[in-house]
Structure formats: structure tokens, C-alpha cells
Amino acid sequence: MAVATLAEIKVLLGEPRFNWADQAPWLELEQELGIEFPADFREIVDAYGSIEVNKQLYLKHPAGHLLHSLGREIREDLEFWREEDMTEFLPSRAGTDPGELIPVASATTGEHVFLRVPDEPSSPWRVVVQEFDSPAWHLHEMAFSEWLLAYLRGEDVTVCSGDRAPDGPFYEFLP
């Protein structure tokens, strides 16, 4: 399956209004974490910024001046998911090493979205969604952009949007 494009996401979600071009926040965060985020994830977050999709899914940008910062969120979430009593709810350790899970988004309905760090540099990134209320997790064998596109289409990718966006997908900037 090919990585979904930003153009496909724009068709459903609408025109982005953030359009960030400075790569410094990404480079700083990637240097701190010791990883390089997948290009499709960066492209989407740079286009839309820190937003709430369908009054449900939170995406955040790493720019430090924002109230809702991806870097701050990842640091706090890694600490939370590494606590001894939380590790049993994930298929692998939260972290930035190969095979580990980086928390990158959350939902008002209790789910947490992770990117699974590839085992090999040539391997693809995958999405893992943890359902906090069940407590189950689901590995989605797709890139983040494919997962987001499926979510916007109302497909079952663990976080379901059908009842949250009856008139179609939409987004709002986080306050």
C-alpha cells in the first residue's frame, strides 16, 4: 500500500492554514529523541499545526512557542507509558529505539496513537493505537498518512469518527 498524500488528506479535511516551513523545531526534537520522524507525519503536522480533528483526535506541532507542543507531549507521554503499571497495556516498550512506540497523538475518546519505530532503517513506520478504556491495542500495518486518511474516511482504524463528524471531516486549531 502506498503512503497517502497530503493532497488526499486535504480533499477530506480541508485546506491547511498553518503551513509551517521552518524545520528547526523538528530537527531539535529529532536530535533530542535520536530518531527521524517519518516524512508523511511531518508533512501533515507542518501543514495543519496543532489541531483537533472531528472534535476527537489531537495532533500537535513541535514548534516550542505553541501552547500545545508535540515535543512536550511526547516527553510527558513517554514518562507516563514507561511507568511499571502502564507497560502491560502496550505491545512493546514506549521509547525511541527500534521496535519501540512513540506517542504522537491522542483522542478525546481515550485512545493514544503511537508510531512504531522500524526495526531496520529501510523498514516502514507503523501505527499502533492503544484503547485506554479497554485496555487493548491495535497494530495498523500502514503509514501515519494512510491511517489518518482511513480515519477521515470513517474506516475502522480503532479511533472511529463517524458519530463525531456526521457532515464530514473538519478541524479546528487547538486553543
Side-chain angles (χ1 to χ4, degrees):
M1 194 179 268
V3 173
T5 66
L6 182 58
E8 292 173 290
I9 290 168
K10 287 180 185 179
V11 167
L12 292 173
L13 193 54
E15 205 56 41
R17 298 186 311 257
F18 192 68
N19 301 312
W20 187 268
D22 180 8
Q23 295 306 302
W26 285 108
L27 297 174
E28 290 170 18
L29 181 58
E30 289 174 341
Q31 184 176 18
E32 175 188 337
L33 297 175
I35 55 108
E36 186 176 319
F37 285 97
D40 65 324
F41 176 73
R42 284 179 59 159
E43 182 181 37
I44 292 164
V45 174
D46 275 345
Y48 287 97
S50 293
I51 59 172
E52 181 180 36
V53 181
N54 299 340
K55 294 209 175 288
Q56 178 181 32
L57 181 67
Y58 297 110
L59 297 178
K60 297 177 182 169
H61 192 275
H65 72 281
L66 298 173
L67 180 61
H68 303 280
S69 167
L70 178 63
R72 192 169 41 255
E73 189 85 7
I74 287 174
R75 284 186 289 278
E76 291 171 2
D77 284 350
L78 282 175
E79 187 176 317
F80 172 78
W81 287 105
R82 286 177 173 161
E83 291 178 10
E84 189 174 327
D85 58 341
M86 297 311 298
T87 58
E88 67 185 88
F89 297 110
L90 295 175
S92 60
R93 187 175 187 271
T96 58
D97 289 331
E100 293 182 337
L101 305 173
I102 301 173
V104 296
S106 61
T108 57
T109 47
E111 297 86 357
H112 291 266
V113 180
F114 296 82
L115 293 177
R116 185 184 180 282
V117 181
D119 292 320
E120 302 292 329
S122 61
S123 298
W125 288 77
R126 295 298 181 223
V127 175
V128 171
V129 179
Q130 197 282 335
E131 295 181 79
F132 206 62
D133 59 345
S134 55
W137 57 267
H138 304 274
L139 171 64
H140 297 279
E141 295 283 346
M142 55 182 68
F144 180 80
S145 58
E146 295 170 283
W147 179 87
L148 182 61
L149 189 60
Y151 166 79
L152 295 173
R153 290 178 175 155
E155 297 171 20
D156 183 7
V157 287
T158 313
V159 179
C160 298
S161 65
D163 61 334
R164 302 236 169 214
D167 299 325
F170 64 97
Y171 74 96
E172 300 170 321
F173 286 112
L174 291 174

